[in-house]
Amino acid sequence: MKTALVAAGFAALALASASAQDQNPAEVARFYAGLPVPADSPIAKFTKEGGWQNYSKSFDGTWDKLEKRQLVKVRAWRDANIKNTRDTLFYFFAGPDFLYANAFYPKAKTYILAGLEPVGPIPQVDGKTNHVLPAVRAALEHSVNLSFFITSDMNSRLRGQTVKGALPLIYVYLARSGAEIKEVKLITLDADGNEVDPKEFKGRQLAPGVKITFVKDGGAPQTLYYFSTDLSNAGVKASGFLKFCEKLAPGDGLVKSASYLLHGGNFSTVREFILAHVQTLVQDDTGVPVRFLKSEEWELSPFGTYIGPIPVFGMGPEAAAQKLFNPKNKVPKLDFGIGYRNRGHDSNLLLAIRKDKKAER
């Protein structure tokens, strides 16, 4: 009798595990985003709980304000200034920020995001998930309100017992951006930049990641990669991350709120990758220093106001950036805030287009 009960228990656990793995990732993403799921979905019952309904209503209000205050203006700037894009977007130092990757480059066939935040397990929904949603919302707060994640804050939030990794946040931004997730696969990279099943990989994983296939508005499939990896010179030399990126180059680039890491020598390898493999680059002043964007190679279009790094970074303004953003040059204003100086009147963006590809615009 006891043996039969044990066997039945194991069978129930196996069935529950299988059921969780069979959950539709698009529906799971919508659940985390506070969006309705189909009535016949196995997770629909959890949306009837008061906690989820309050979360959904609050998130709707927050997203509506974000749209009106920020995203509609970002899209208008994009449409007016970015005339041609490539298949791949390289967004280094992004963390889980699909929000701005999609806002600036909605038509990329492949998005490659990287950060220090852990990937985490593939999200599922069960009876406990509603208790996790406030922590998900809190983890998104800086990104929604200030346009960027704070690495130290994210590392503490996403390595805890409540929100496990960056995937729930990526799910939210995908769903809220109108994407329907088709497939989610955990991967890692070997030293040669090849995708490997983590279960079959031997040794320390230096670039664990996730590959997400999705569609928007019934369009062609798009792919989002997110890697949790060290982008310093030593880190990318060992991980195979840039070898993976090379296979999808050339592409476009986005750099925002990157702690001015590209201004120092310890991240020169990633900086050189951007200079060699990116055709159209959108960045704030934390990106590639202006002095590296030679006028004979790049067409530079500044927008907004350049003041220099905020005091916490202990750096002075870059002379080349001051010259480029000089008010005498009649630099167009930005009507939205972005980056560390996100109040709008003190924000800046630089659009850099490689001249030898100018004919393709």
Side-chain angles (χ1 to χ4, degrees):
M1 180 69 173
K2 184 176 181 180
T3 302
L5 288 173
V6 171
F10 278 121
L13 286 173
L15 182 61
S17 176
S19 176
Q21 293 303 317
D22 288 342
Q23 288 183 0
N24 184 322
E27 295 173 2
V28 173
R30 290 183 64 83
F31 183 92
Y32 273 90
L35 295 170
V37 301
D40 60 351
S41 168
I43 66 174
K45 59 185 178 182
F46 300 115
T47 67
K48 302 183 185 303
E49 297 179 12
W52 186 89
Q53 293 180 1
N54 290 335
Y55 172 83
S56 174
K57 183 178 180 180
S58 175
F59 216 138
D60 284 345
T62 296
W63 199 263
D64 183 61
K65 292 178 182 177
L66 177 64
E67 273 284 339
K68 294 175 180 177
R69 182 192 79 243
Q70 185 78 350
L71 297 182
V72 67
K73 298 176 182 179
V74 172
R75 290 193 290 265
W77 180 91
R78 173 201 73 206
D79 291 343
N81 295 287
I82 303 178
K83 303 303 181 183
N84 189 30
T85 57
R86 279 67 184 177
D87 288 344
T88 303
L89 174 66
F90 301 111
Y91 186 8
F92 303 151
F93 311 102
D97 184 25
F98 177 75
L99 176 66
Y100 283 93
N102 180 68
F104 283 108
Y105 293 96
K107 297 181 181 179
K109 292 183 180 179
T110 303
Y111 297 86
I112 302 177
L113 278 57
L116 293 175
E117 296 82 2
V119 177
I122 295 176
Q124 303 294 330
V125 174
D126 58 27
K128 299 179 180 179
T129 306
N130 275 324
H131 301 294
V132 176
L133 297 181
V136 172
R137 175 73 179 273
L140 289 167
E141 182 176 1
H142 288 117
S143 175
V144 168
N145 294 324
L146 302 179
S147 83
F148 60 90
F149 290 106
I150 298 176
T151 301
S152 59
D153 175 73
M154 292 294 287
N155 270 323
S156 63
R157 290 184 184 276
L158 302 187
R159 296 181 189 275
Q161 296 299 313
T162 306
V163 184
K164 300 182 186 300
L167 266 175
L169 279 60
I170 294 174
Y171 269 31
V172 169
Y173 279 159
L174 280 164
R176 283 280 174 177
S177 297
E180 180 185 357
I181 299 176
K182 294 297 186 180
E183 184 179 15
V184 182
K185 181 181 180 182
L186 296 179
I187 61 173
T188 194
L189 298 178
D190 64 18
D192 295 319
N194 298 311
E195 295 181 37
V196 181
D197 186 331
K199 296 178 181 178
E200 299 176 0
F201 186 80
K202 295 182 180 179
R204 183 185 175 193
Q205 294 186 34
L206 299 179
V210 63
K211 179 180 181 180
I212 302 174
T213 304
F214 64 93
V215 297
K216 289 184 294 186
D217 300 321
Q222 296 172 276
T223 302
L224 166 64
Y225 288 95
Y226 171 73
F227 292 99
S228 175
T229 192
D230 177 5
L231 295 178
S232 70
N233 292 348
V236 294
K237 180 180 180 180
S239 68
F241 173 70
L242 290 185
K243 291 183 180 179
F244 169 82
C245 292
E246 284 177 1
K247 298 175 183 181
L248 292 164
D252 295 316
L254 177 61
V255 186
K256 178 176 65 63
S257 308
S259 301
Y260 299 91
L261 295 175
L262 293 174
H263 287 238
N266 198 33
F267 290 81
S268 60
T269 303
V270 169
R271 184 176 67 225
E272 290 302 320
F273 179 93
I274 293 172
L275 289 170
H277 297 291
V278 164
Q279 306 299 330
T280 299
L281 174 64
V282 174
Q283 62 173 27
D284 64 11
D285 63 302
T286 69
V288 176
V290 173
R291 64 184 181 274
F292 289 101
L293 297 165
K294 305 299 183 182
S295 59
E296 62 271 20
E297 299 176 9
W298 296 87
E299 177 186 326
L300 303 182
S301 300
F303 298 83
T305 303
Y306 176 72
I307 298 174
I310 58 177
V312 69
F313 291 101
M315 301 167 58
E318 183 197 11
Q322 288 179 311
K323 183 178 180 180
L324 180 65
F325 281 86
N326 191 313
K328 294 181 180 179
N329 296 334
K330 298 181 179 180
V331 178
K333 295 182 179 181
L334 283 177
D335 62 353
F336 57 90
I338 197 85
Y340 296 134
R341 296 188 184 275
N342 51 71
R343 293 173 293 183
H345 67 275
D346 56 355
S347 298
N348 66 78
L349 279 179
L350 175 60
L351 174 63
I353 300 175
R354 189 181 298 278
K355 286 186 175 181
D356 60 6
K357 295 293 183 181
K358 188 176 178 181
E360 297 181 9
R361 292 174 62 189

